[in-house]
Every structure is written in structure tokens, then in C-alpha cells.
């Protein structure tokens, strides 16, 4: 063994201390890698939920990486006293140079600790809306929704956002506290239409295509929502009436899951068009211009007044 050390020192100019540190580092990293592989294999056998398995993998990688940094620092800096002195000397420079990465790491700590959103949640932050598909040390990733695509469906683009944005941008979480969305469909009918009948038809259509909760589901949703001070009296669809300048506006408000907004709206419009067009006393309103002409009696009266003026002249 000593002969090997002498040979390496003569050919590669590496001292015995450096060789020992390299060997310790390799052994430490190899041991951590084996431990992480064993843990992930055990988790994959026992865990069937893909999202929970993904979180387990991410957490394991974070822990192993942290332990690796600690072990390597202890090996190469001869204990924590030396590394503390070293970090104290360069701390000011590191803060200035690595300001953005440090903020991103603090943002990651905030995301893991406070959990304003997690992988799988639908969020809106700044200009971007999407489903969170990854949360890393320096950035989180979302599957973008909306933009040029209507009804918040996927655009096909993946957006990487720095973790520091959670300190400067407001976040809208679609899943937090209430696992459904309230959606509205608006339409207008003429003043001559039978609005009571139209309201009843809309409500029947909504009952067919909205999210229907049984008593057990309603109770569970209420308990979860009340933990965040969110209160709803009823989860049934409703139709609201409002008079507008060119007709009567009917607004259908109903409950739907996160991914069913566009599909439900499409089905509601299909049924509404079919049933309204088949009804003789309901007509859709649209902007129109009306012109009024004088009646025959008014025209003769105007002619009589004109002839009287001529006689006086």
C-alpha cells in the first residue's frame, strides 16, 4: 500500500494526505449512493402512488446531497472549525456574487416549509398559469396553460421559474383549500322570450354536466374548506337573471373539477343551443338597430299643416 502511495506521489505529485482525502471522499460518496439506491428501491416496492414516489425520490436526493456536502467539507477542510473560518472570510463576497442563487435556495426552503403549492397543484404566478411538475433547489417548473389556448388548457410549453419569485410575486393556487372550481356561462335572450322557461332549461342542463357531490363528499369538502376559512352554503348549480340593454342576461354558475372546465362548457352550450332553438318562445338576443317611420295619420296631418301655411301666405 505504501508503495502505491509513493508511486502516485512521484508520478502525479499528490501528497499522502491528498490521496487519503480522495479515498475517503470516494468511499463516502459511494456509500451514500448505495444507501440512496436501496431506499429508492424499497420505496418503489411499497409505494404505488406516483406523486408520493416522486416526492420520496426528491427528498432522498436532497438528503443525500446535503450529507455528501457535509462529509466532503469535513474531509477536505479538517473539521468544521476550519470550514467555519473559511466561510466567515468569504461570506460577504459570496452574498454579493451569489445573491440570486441564494435567494432561489431560500425560496426552495420556503416552498418546502410553508408549502404554498406542491407538485400537481395548478397555480398562477406573475404572467404564467400552469400545473406544477417539479420543485428544485433553484427553480420550479410548470406545464403552461392558457396563453393563446382557451380555457386554460396545455400549450405544450414547460416554464421554469426561479424560486425567488415566491417572495416578490403573488401566487394563486387552484387546489388550496377547495378542490373544485366555480365556473360561469353567460347568454342573453330577447325581452319577448320566456325567461322563466329558459332559466329552468339552463338549470336542468347544468345538473347533467356539473360536478355532483354526495352528502359524504360535501361534508369532506366543507371540513377542508373551513380549515382555510372558506365557506359555501350550497354546491348546487344556480342561474342568475340580469336585465341588459339588448336583452335578458342569464348567468349559469356551477361546480366543476380543475380539468373539466372546457369540456363541461362545450356540453352545456351544445344542449342549450339544441333546446333553445327547438323552443318557439325563446330567442337569443344580439345587438340590433331599429328604425321607426311616421304613420299615415301623422303624414296627412303634416300635409294639412303645410297647406295651411301656404294659404296664409
Amino acid at each position: 500500500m505504501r508503495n502505491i502511495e509513493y508511486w502516485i506521489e512521484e508520478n502525479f505529485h499528490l501528497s499522502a494526505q491528498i490521496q487519503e482525502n480522495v479515498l475517503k471522499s470516494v468511499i463516502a460518496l459511494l456509500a451514500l449512493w448505495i444507501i440512496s439506491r436501496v431506499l429508492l428501491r424499497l420505496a418503489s416496492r411499497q409505494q404505488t402512488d406516483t406523486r408520493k414516489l416522486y416526492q420520496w425520490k426528491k427528498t432522498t436526493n436532497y438528503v443525500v446531497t446535503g450529507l455528501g456536502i457535509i462529509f466532503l467539507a469535513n474531509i477536505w477542510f479538517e473539521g468544521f472549525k476550519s470550514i467555519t473560518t473559511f466561510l466567515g472570510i468569504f461570506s460577504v463576497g459570496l452574498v454579493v456574487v451569489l445573491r440570486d442563487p441564494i435567494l432561489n435556495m431560500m425560496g426552495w426552503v420556503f416552498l418546502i416549509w410553508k408549502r404554498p403549492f406542491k407538485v400537481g397543484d395548478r397555480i398562477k404566478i406573475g404572467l404564467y398559469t400552469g400545473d406544477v411538475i417539479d420543485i428544485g433547489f433553484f427553480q420550479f417548473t410548470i406545464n403552461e396553460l392558457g396563453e393563446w389556448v382557451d380555457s386554460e388548457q396545455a400549450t405544450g410549453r414547460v416554464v421554469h421559474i426561479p424560486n425567488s419569485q415566491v417572495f416578490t410575486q403573488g401566487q394563486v393556487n387552484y387546489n388550496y383549500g377547495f378542490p373544485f372550481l366555480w365556473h360561469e356561462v353567460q347568454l342573453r335572450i330577447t325581452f319577448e322570450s320566456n325567461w322563466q322557461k329558459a332559466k329552468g332549461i339552463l338549470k336542468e342542463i347544468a345538473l347533467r354536466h356539473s360536478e355532483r357531490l354526495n352528502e359524504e363528499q360535501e361534508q369532506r369538502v366543507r371540513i377542508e374548506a373551513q380549515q382555510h376559512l372558506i365557506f359555501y352554503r350550497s354546491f348546487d348549480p344556480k342561474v342568475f337573471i340580469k336585465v341588459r340593454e339588448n336583452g335578458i342576461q342569464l348567468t349559469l354558475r356551477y361546480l366543476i373539477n380543475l380539468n373539466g372546465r372546457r369540456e363541461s362548457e362545450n356540453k352545456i352550450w351544445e344542449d342549450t343551443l339544441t333546446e333553445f332553438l327547438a323552443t318557439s318562445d325563446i330567442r337569443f338576443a344580439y345587438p340590433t338597430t331599429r328604425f321607426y317611420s311616421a304613420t299615415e295619420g301623422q303624414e296627412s296631418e303634416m300635409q294639412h299643416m303645410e297647406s295651411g301655411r301656404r294659404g296664409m301666405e
Side-chain angles (χ1 to χ4, degrees):
M1 189 68 181
R2 298 294 299 176
N3 293 332
I4 296 176
E5 290 181 1
Y6 290 142
W7 182 84
I8 294 176
E9 186 173 355
E10 290 179 359
N11 291 274
F12 296 97
H13 304 289
L14 297 176
S15 65
Q17 182 64 41
I18 294 179
Q19 294 180 43
E20 183 181 353
N21 290 344
V22 171
L23 182 60
K24 289 180 179 179
S25 300
V26 172
I27 293 174
L29 294 177
L30 183 61
L32 289 173
W33 181 81
I34 293 174
I35 292 173
S36 67
R37 293 301 97 186
V38 172
L39 291 175
L40 291 177
R41 185 177 292 274
L42 292 175
S44 61
R45 290 179 179 178
Q46 299 180 2
Q47 186 61 254
T48 57
D49 191 334
T50 305
R51 291 186 178 180
K52 290 183 179 179
L53 182 60
Y54 173 82
Q55 290 290 345
W56 179 264
K57 290 180 179 179
K58 297 289 289 186
T59 303
T60 303
N61 290 333
Y62 293 150
V63 172
V64 169
T65 301
L67 291 176
I69 293 174
I70 293 173
F71 289 158
L72 292 178
N74 193 36
I75 292 171
W76 289 94
F77 292 97
E78 298 180 355
F80 290 101
K81 292 183 179 179
S82 299
I83 191 174
T84 303
T85 304
F86 175 79
L87 292 178
I89 296 173
F90 291 97
S91 60
V92 177
L94 287 175
V95 169
V96 174
V97 175
L98 302 177
R99 176 181 176 274
D100 290 337
I102 291 174
L103 283 176
N104 290 330
M105 292 183 67
M106 292 300 101
W108 173 80
V109 172
F110 175 78
L111 291 175
I112 299 300
W113 177 39
K114 296 296 291 184
R115 297 178 69 83
F117 55 82
K118 59 184 182 298
V119 174
D121 284 357
R122 179 167 297 180
I123 67 169
K124 178 178 177 61
I125 178 168
L127 300 176
Y128 301 104
T129 301
D131 296 325
V132 181
I133 58 178
D134 184 40
I135 298 177
F137 272 118
F138 300 102
Q139 62 186 14
F140 60 92
T141 306
I142 65 173
N143 183 25
E144 186 187 44
L145 306 174
E147 288 294 327
W148 63 85
V149 179
D150 194 16
S151 294
E152 293 184 352
Q153 289 195 313
T155 64
R157 301 192 305 186
V158 172
V159 182
H160 303 284
I161 302 174
N163 290 339
S164 59
Q165 293 294 306
V166 299
F167 297 127
T168 59
Q169 298 284 346
Q171 304 112 48
V172 178
N173 191 328
Y174 288 56
N175 303 74
Y176 192 81
F178 189 67
F180 300 100
L181 289 178
W182 287 106
H183 188 49
E184 293 187 354
V185 174
Q186 293 184 349
L187 58 89
R188 295 185 186 184
I189 59 176
T190 61
F191 289 111
E192 297 79 13
S193 298
N194 187 342
W195 63 268
Q196 295 95 333
K197 184 176 181 181
K199 180 178 179 180
I201 292 174
L202 272 181
K203 193 161 187 178
E204 290 179 2
I205 293 173
L207 291 173
R208 295 199 293 264
H209 302 298
S210 63
E211 193 74 27
R212 305 295 296 159
L213 306 180
N214 56 41
E215 293 184 4
E216 182 180 352
Q217 290 174 324
E218 282 193 15
Q219 185 64 22
R220 187 169 65 251
V221 170
R222 290 182 191 277
I223 293 174
E224 184 177 351
Q226 288 175 2
Q227 291 178 354
H228 306 284
L229 299 180
I230 302 174
F231 303 98
Y232 294 107
R233 296 180 181 177
S234 173
F235 299 103
D236 296 329
K238 295 182 179 180
V239 179
F240 299 93
I241 305 296
K242 198 169 190 177
V243 176
R244 294 294 190 178
E245 67 278 359
N246 59 348
I248 301 174
Q249 177 177 291
L250 287 81
T251 301
L252 172 61
R253 177 177 170 87
Y254 64 98
L255 197 66
I256 198 64
N257 61 58
L258 291 177
N259 298 316
R261 190 161 70 94
R262 190 171 197 177
E263 184 64 26
S264 67
E265 185 174 347
N266 177 67
K267 292 179 179 179
I268 286 174
W269 272 115
E270 286 182 350
D271 289 358
T272 301
L273 290 171
T274 300
E275 298 193 26
F276 276 20
L277 294 177
T279 305
S280 60
D281 55 351
I282 299 177
R283 291 290 179 266
F284 287 103
Y286 51 88
T288 57
T289 303
R290 297 184 180 182
F291 297 94
Y292 294 90
S293 60
T295 61
E296 294 182 358
Q298 290 175 331
E299 290 179 354
S300 60
E301 183 179 353
M302 291 174 64
Q303 293 175 357
H304 178 72
M305 292 176 63
E306 183 67 23
S307 61
R309 291 177 182 174
R310 291 179 180 178
M312 291 175 65
E313 292 176 356

